[in-house]
Amino acid sequence: MMTQTMVKPSSWISTGIITAKVRDRYLFKFSETLQERLDNLNECLKGIGLNDQEKAELAGILELDQIFTLLNAKIISES
């Protein structure tokens, strides 16, 4: 098993997480700033590559994205 360093997803609680009303329920989403950062990291990954710190940041954001996907699916299924 390979160990991967990542920025803790909880580090974005105060600045990177919002809830948005979608139809009749509130779902978790990235803030505009965090979404832009994710897009930027993905572009760099495709182009010039990422340094270790950026790789750790991207891994944390992607982990948070997986968490949101699961939480939002649960919210939708229980409505």
Side-chain angles (χ1 to χ4, degrees):
M1 177 181 275
M2 189 168 136
T3 303
Q4 181 179 10
T5 303
M6 73 175 178
V7 174
K8 289 182 178 181
S10 61
S11 67
W12 290 290
I13 286 175
S14 62
T15 60
I17 299 171
I18 62 171
T19 55
K21 191 167 187 176
V22 178
R23 297 187 189 131
D24 61 337
R25 31 185 103 81
Y26 284 90
L27 301 177
F28 293 96
K29 297 182 74 172
F30 291 156
S31 67
E32 185 176 324
T33 303
L34 187 57
Q35 184 63 53
E36 287 174 0
R37 182 62 179 151
L38 174 59
D39 295 343
N40 181 269
L41 289 169
N42 278 323
E43 286 299 315
C44 289
L45 181 63
K46 293 175 189 174
I48 60 173
L50 300 174
N51 62 38
D52 289 342
Q53 183 178 355
E54 291 167 329
K55 288 176 185 176
E57 186 178 4
L58 179 59
I61 295 171
L62 293 175
E63 178 76 12
L64 186 59
D65 185 51
Q66 289 180 334
I67 292 166
F68 283 0
T69 299
L70 293 171
L71 288 172
N72 288 338
K74 187 165 179 69
I75 290 168
I76 290 168
S77 72
E78 291 180 353
S79 296

